[in-house]
Amino acid sequence: MSESSGIKAPSRRAFLKAAAASVPVAAVAGTAHADDPLITEVQEWASGLGAGVDETPYGLPIQYEGDVIRRTVEWLTADQISSINFTPIHALDGTITPQGCAFERHHSGAIELKKEDYRLMINGLVDQPLVFTYEDLERFPRENHVYFCECAANTGMEWAGAQLNGAQYTHGMIHNMEYTGVSLRTLLEEAGLDAAGDLKDKWVYVEGADASSNGRSIPMEKALDDCLVAFKANGEALRMEHGYPVRLCVPGWEGNMWVKWLRRIEVTEAAVESREETSKYTDTLADGTSRKWTWEMDAKSIITSPSPQMPIKHGKGPLVITGLAWSGRGAITRVDVSKDGGKTWETARLAKPGEKMALSRFYLDTTWDGEEMFLQARAMDETGYVQPTKDELREVRGENSIYHNNSIQTWWVQPNGEADNVEVS
Amino acid sequence: MSESSGIKAPSRRAFLKAAAASVPVAAVAGTAHADDPLITEVQEWASGLGAGVDETPYGLPIQYEGDVIRRTVEWLTADQISSINFTPIHALDGTITPQGCAFERHHSGAIELKKEDYRLMINGLVDQPLVFTYEDLERFPRENHVYFCECAANTGMEWAGAQLNGAQYTHGMIHNMEYTGVSLRTLLEEAGLDAAGDLKDKWVYVEGADASSNGRSIPMEKALDDCLVAFKANGEALRMEHGYPVRLCVPGWEGNMWVKWLRRIEVTEAAVESREETSKYTDTLADGTSRKWTWEMDAKSIITSPSPQMPIKHGKGPLVITGLAWSGRGAITRVDVSKDGGKTWETARLAKPGEKMALSRFYLDTTWDGEEMFLQARAMDETGYVQPTKDELREVRGENSIYHNNSIQTWWVQPNGEADNVEVS
């Protein structure tokens, strides 16, 4: 390493060409110097053998990433069985969510159901009621799609004011995976939909095999459009907590409809009006009435870093602001970022063009002047919908809802780099 | 479940509409009947609570999938440190490979290197030699890309004849992940390439921090094109065995160049001609000479199911043949499947349009007549390149190579559904 004596702080020259020209130039703090023993001395890891290839047939994250885990909020639910945990979105990048840290929501706990014991029934208004084994499902044509799954209650604690201090807790009831499965349409057609007559007003009721029998009604149009009976996520079998061996994907629609351990699909004349679509998963409005059938997840975004769990530690100068955006109505087309609580906006860079019903990653490559910021992100989707402010949403919805809070989030970044969940208006 | 008395075997009506019309019709075997106790009786998993959300902060696959793991072949290497294990591609679907079961290749074992201890040096023919901490890297503009990484030795045991009985072993030195990182170009420009003068003939030497100091020379054109200094894979931190905290991605090029625990990047006048690019990772030809600089991975495909580890258990009738295809020269445009050892071919369905330097999943939705098959897949890429037969490849390359065997693989499927690795000519 003959050049070590010449090491200096990065010039930032090339980087700053790409950054906003109006932002003050600042050197990167914390760059190693020529006398850094990590450069000048032989390190332990370079002087001996590491772990062999037979040591971890199935690997887990390295110990130093032990804080990047699903977390619960104890006071949120009466117990940990009918409860929720949260994806550590603050610490992730890209768009794929590993199954191991993807949020869980159960109504009666995650069950262990062997493939050999799995059965899927299609009944109701079909020519031929059918029962499929897991192996039967594998014989139909398969599809692959990346979809986000968001719990309708994501951000639900924030209706009455800023509550939870971290993107993981305010927005972590979401994950995004590549699913493999058979289209629901294929299975419904296999059972014969002739008996249903005019399909326009018919419904499909989907039900899980766990003790809660979580069941939801889906309009036939959606059932025949893009619903997927999935058995793999991110290439491998669904994890137990994500519905092994088979779950339903209802792209863009609230997570409660993505029934896990899917055991029954009934074609019905009308919606079942189950517990999970009447007493739950409806939205109480300002006037005390409730609205139902709010299936689609409205366009939404969240800055994952910096954020309360991801403070700025490097001081002023070059800063990457990043986050996630999504819409249940199609592809994300644009994300804007504000540093002043929504007064002015800059358009962020999407890592790749938005894809329907999948997370988009956005970046704003900027320079921080070391002053406080009120960071916001605002998503727009291909329908022209623009993510609303908290005030705009409350004007329509009041403060008594739990579900479908897709309002703009604000992180107050202080000069010391720490961030807090706040509201601005 | 009032319809259970009406359950019969699937009619296959709709499915067969989509299948090849010339293939004999056959009912699905193994479909459950009306008296199946899994339908008529209350099951254990539906009558009690399951696991709570606080039980697995980071989850692993369910116990029933315990055989979907990386596996080693003991006789292949002298020890398990400088060795290889194999991705269970036979049991995966879709395209993403979870980090936990993505193949490993180490030259001196997987090392534990903390982010705080990580340093990346850029030196050599640059204006300003630099050292970056991990935190420094996070301040540059990031990119997201899905890329495959294939060891040059993948399928290397098959040169002299059919050796290993399973897609995992013959073709499992490959994985495909969504990477997040900073382009190598950005970092090189930060150090200033003016000192290198005319860049056309210059090289970049990249080196790992493990004891093997695995180092490879990369032509400047590739270094400035699409190489990525990556710190996340599939959204989360790289696993220890994949180079935590930082590895290089060299899209489409042999895996040995994807240096893990990346510690140094030197801009040089000429290639270094390191051990890993002279005595290893060169190809001995039929005439005894060796060729080098065979960086690009040629177009290749493999049927993952049915295959020796994934026999057909359901008998004749509807059958999904599936596999993976990839090319180091761009996107896969077409995959053909043969059931008769290459005499006749059917074009398979790509799950989505091919993407540059990423795995493509293909499916052939067909009907099996219960007779023996000699299954082959043949990939084509956007350059017009067609994957060669074993005979075609051996004509050029002989049988003494280890690396870059991208020839067509044959699985002999017997009437009992079992499959073996064979050769046909």
Side-chain angles (χ1 to χ4, degrees):
Chain A
M1 300 191 194
S2 58
E3 295 294 335
S4 64
S5 61
I7 294 162
K8 295 183 196 167
S11 70
R12 317 305 302 157
R13 187 188 52 174
F15 176 79
L16 288 166
K17 272 187 221 160
S22 61
V23 179
V25 173
V28 169
T31 303
H33 295 286
D35 58 354
D36 184 342
L38 288 162
I39 296 293
T40 57
E41 289 171 22
V42 174
Q43 304 304 321
E44 185 197 337
W45 51 82
S47 52
L49 297 176
V53 296
D54 55 348
E55 296 189 29
T56 44
Y58 201 101
L60 276 168
I62 196 168
Q63 55 171 320
Y64 310 127
E65 298 291 314
D67 59 336
V68 183
I69 52 174
R70 299 187 279 231
R71 291 182 187 276
T72 59
V73 174
E74 270 194 24
W75 54 261
L76 209 56
T77 51
D79 61 55
Q80 298 295 298
I81 304 287
S82 178
S83 188
I84 190 99
N85 60 25
F86 300 88
T87 307
I89 55 170
H90 63 290
L92 304 181
D93 209 319
T95 63
I96 292 290
T97 316
Q99 285 205 68
C101 62
F103 87 96
E104 300 171 65
R105 169 72 173 114
H106 311 304
H107 293 253
S108 53
I111 61 169
E112 288 201 353
L113 176 47
K114 288 181 192 169
K115 278 182 184 169
E116 306 89 275
D117 291 342
Y118 178 77
R119 297 292 183 275
L120 173 62
M121 175 187 287
I122 299 190
N123 68 341
L125 302 172
V126 292
D127 287 347
Q128 178 64 66
L130 293 174
V131 172
F132 302 99
T133 63
Y134 181 86
E135 202 173 48
D136 291 337
L137 294 179
E138 287 188 306
R139 302 179 72 176
F140 289 92
R142 295 173 210 165
E143 300 182 6
N144 296 173
H145 300 281
V146 176
Y147 292 133
F148 78 80
C149 173
E150 184 184 17
C151 180
N154 199 19
T155 324
M157 291 76 75
E158 305 294 306
W159 278 104
Q163 295 283 331
L164 292 168
N165 218 17
Q168 178 170 20
Y169 305 112
T170 57
H171 289 73
M173 292 189 204
I174 192 162
H175 54 61
N176 193 63
M177 308 199 207
E178 181 194 46
Y179 292 96
T180 300
V182 176
S183 79
L184 178 54
R185 181 183 195 110
T186 296
L187 299 181
L188 287 170
E189 289 180 346
E190 184 72 13
L193 281 166
D194 297 351
D198 185 357
L199 296 176
K200 191 164 57 64
D201 299 325
K202 299 295 186 297
W203 293 68
V204 164
Y205 185 71
V206 291
E207 183 184 77
D210 58 326
S212 80
S213 301
N214 180 37
R216 291 294 300 264
S217 307
I218 301 174
M220 184 61 78
E221 186 184 356
K222 178 72 173 175
L224 295 179
D225 178 14
D226 58 3
C227 292
L228 190 71
V229 176
F231 36 83
K232 304 267 185 183
N234 297 342
E236 67 182 351
L238 289 165
R239 299 288 171 87
M240 178 176 85
E241 63 269 31
H242 299 302
Y244 181 92
V246 178
R247 85 173 303 169
L248 189 67
C249 299
V250 188
W253 289 24
E254 60 189 17
N256 179 248
M257 307 177 83
W258 292 50
V259 169
K260 293 188 276 198
W261 316 290
L262 181 68
R263 75 166 171 196
R264 197 167 65 92
I265 298 164
E266 182 175 349
V267 177
T268 58
E269 283 290 351
V272 166
E273 308 263 2
S274 74
R275 172 183 179 277
E276 300 298 333
E277 53 203 21
T278 51
S279 84
K280 305 290 175 187
Y281 299 96
T282 53
D283 306 315
T284 303
L285 302 178
D287 66 1
T289 62
S290 288
R291 62 177 197 173
K292 63 177 180 177
W293 305 149
T294 50
W295 302 303
E296 282 172 320
M297 302 308 294
D298 293 310
K300 189 167 171 180
S301 63
I302 182 67
I303 291 173
T304 53
S305 178
S307 66
Q309 296 161 288
M310 294 293 277
I312 303 173
K313 290 182 178 162
H314 54 59
K316 62 187 181 178
L319 170 70
V320 174
I321 297 172
T322 187
L324 295 165
W326 61 95
S327 168
R329 293 194 167 83
I332 289 293
T333 50
R334 181 173 140 187
V335 178
D336 292 338
V337 170
S338 176
K339 296 172 183 165
D340 53 14
K343 294 190 194 92
T344 62
W345 296 90
E346 295 171 74
T347 298
R349 173 171 63 84
L350 298 182
K352 56 183 176 184
E355 291 173 7
K356 280 186 191 300
M357 287 61 155
L359 291 191
S360 282
R361 168 65 57 180
F362 66 85
Y363 297 105
L364 184 72
D365 306 307
T366 188
T367 301
W368 185 39
D369 60 9
E371 300 297 312
E372 72 174 3
M373 295 185 284
F374 291 89
L375 285 183
Q376 298 185 340
R378 179 176 69 184
M380 288 161 239
D381 72 19
E382 60 180 311
T383 69
Y385 179 95
V386 179
Q387 183 182 359
T389 65
K390 285 199 173 184
D391 287 346
E392 286 166 348
L393 197 64
R394 284 188 187 128
E395 208 169 294
V396 179
R397 302 270 308 278
E399 295 184 13
N400 296 319
S401 282
I402 296 172
Y403 308 104
H404 295 280
N405 182 348
N406 71 316
S407 61
I408 290 171
Q409 173 69 40
T410 310
W411 302 130
W412 173 38
V413 180
Q414 299 164 62
N416 66 6
E418 288 179 8
D420 282 305
N421 179 3
V422 297
E423 295 209 15
V424 293
S425 47
Chain B
M1 299 191 196
S2 58
E3 297 292 336
S4 62
S5 61
I7 294 163
K8 294 182 197 166
S11 69
R12 317 304 304 153
R13 187 188 53 174
F15 176 78
L16 287 166
K17 271 188 225 161
S22 61
V23 180
V25 173
V28 170
T31 302
H33 295 285
D35 58 353
D36 183 342
L38 287 161
I39 295 293
T40 57
E41 290 170 22
V42 174
Q43 304 305 322
E44 185 198 338
W45 51 82
S47 53
L49 297 175
V53 296
D54 54 347
E55 294 187 32
T56 45
Y58 201 99
L60 278 167
I62 195 168
Q63 54 172 319
Y64 311 127
E65 298 291 315
D67 59 338
V68 183
I69 53 174
R70 299 188 278 233
R71 291 183 188 276
T72 58
V73 175
E74 270 193 25
W75 54 262
L76 208 57
T77 51
D79 61 54
Q80 298 295 298
I81 304 288
S82 179
S83 189
I84 190 98
N85 60 26
F86 301 88
T87 307
I89 55 170
H90 62 290
L92 304 181
D93 210 318
T95 63
I96 292 290
T97 316
Q99 286 205 68
C101 62
F103 87 96
E104 302 172 62
R105 169 72 173 113
H106 311 304
H107 293 252
S108 53
I111 61 170
E112 288 201 353
L113 176 47
K114 288 180 192 169
K115 277 182 184 169
E116 306 89 276
D117 291 342
Y118 179 76
R119 297 292 183 275
L120 173 61
M121 176 186 289
I122 298 189
N123 67 340
L125 301 173
V126 292
D127 287 346
Q128 177 63 68
L130 295 174
V131 172
F132 301 99
T133 63
Y134 182 86
E135 202 173 49
D136 291 337
L137 294 179
E138 287 188 306
R139 302 178 72 177
F140 289 92
R142 294 173 212 165
E143 300 182 6
N144 295 175
H145 301 280
V146 176
Y147 291 132
F148 77 81
C149 173
E150 183 184 17
C151 180
N154 199 20
T155 324
M157 288 78 74
E158 304 294 306
W159 279 104
Q163 296 282 331
L164 293 167
N165 217 16
Q168 178 171 18
Y169 304 112
T170 58
H171 289 73
M173 293 189 205
I174 192 162
H175 53 62
N176 192 63
M177 308 199 206
E178 181 194 48
Y179 292 95
T180 300
V182 176
S183 78
L184 178 53
R185 183 185 192 108
T186 296
L187 298 182
L188 287 170
E189 289 181 346
E190 183 72 13
L193 280 166
D194 297 352
D198 185 356
L199 296 177
K200 190 165 56 66
D201 299 323
K202 299 295 187 296
W203 293 68
V204 163
Y205 185 72
V206 292
E207 182 184 76
D210 58 326
S212 79
S213 301
N214 180 38
R216 291 295 301 262
S217 306
I218 301 174
M220 184 63 77
E221 186 183 358
K222 179 72 173 175
L224 295 179
D225 179 14
D226 59 3
C227 292
L228 191 70
V229 176
F231 35 84
K232 304 266 186 185
N234 297 342
E236 67 183 350
L238 289 166
R239 298 286 172 88
M240 178 177 84
E241 62 269 32
H242 299 302
Y244 181 92
V246 177
R247 86 173 302 169
L248 189 67
C249 299
V250 188
W253 289 23
E254 59 188 18
N256 179 249
M257 306 177 83
W258 293 49
V259 169
K260 293 189 276 197
W261 316 290
L262 181 68
R263 76 168 170 193
R264 197 166 66 91
I265 298 164
E266 182 174 348
V267 178
T268 57
E269 283 290 350
V272 166
E273 310 263 1
S274 73
R275 172 182 179 279
E276 301 298 333
E277 54 203 18
T278 51
S279 82
K280 303 291 176 187
Y281 298 97
T282 51
D283 306 315
T284 304
L285 302 178
D287 65 2
T289 63
S290 287
R291 61 177 198 172
K292 64 177 180 178
W293 305 149
T294 50
W295 302 304
E296 281 172 321
M297 301 308 293
D298 292 311
K300 190 168 171 180
S301 63
I302 181 66
I303 291 173
T304 52
S305 178
S307 66
Q309 296 161 288
M310 294 293 277
I312 303 173
K313 290 182 178 162
H314 54 59
K316 61 187 182 178
L319 169 70
V320 174
I321 297 173
T322 186
L324 295 165
W326 60 95
S327 169
R329 293 195 167 82
I332 289 293
T333 50
R334 180 173 140 188
V335 178
D336 291 340
V337 171
S338 177
K339 296 171 184 165
D340 54 13
K343 293 190 193 95
T344 62
W345 297 90
E346 296 172 74
T347 297
R349 173 171 63 83
L350 298 182
K352 56 184 176 183
E355 291 174 7
K356 278 184 193 300
M357 286 63 153
L359 291 192
S360 281
R361 168 66 58 180
F362 66 85
Y363 298 105
L364 184 72
D365 307 307
T366 189
T367 301
W368 185 40
D369 60 9
E371 301 296 314
E372 72 174 4
M373 295 185 284
F374 292 89
L375 285 183
Q376 298 185 339
R378 179 176 68 183
M380 288 161 240
D381 71 19
E382 61 180 311
T383 70
Y385 178 95
V386 180
Q387 183 182 359
T389 65
K390 285 198 175 185
D391 287 345
E392 286 167 348
L393 197 64
R394 284 188 187 129
E395 207 169 296
V396 181
R397 301 272 306 279
E399 295 185 10
N400 296 319
S401 280
I402 296 172
Y403 309 104
H404 296 279
N405 182 347
N406 72 316
S407 61
I408 291 172
Q409 173 68 40
T410 310
W411 303 130
W412 174 37
V413 180
Q414 299 164 63
N416 65 7
E418 288 179 10
D420 282 304
N421 179 4
V422 298
E423 296 210 14
V424 293
S425 46

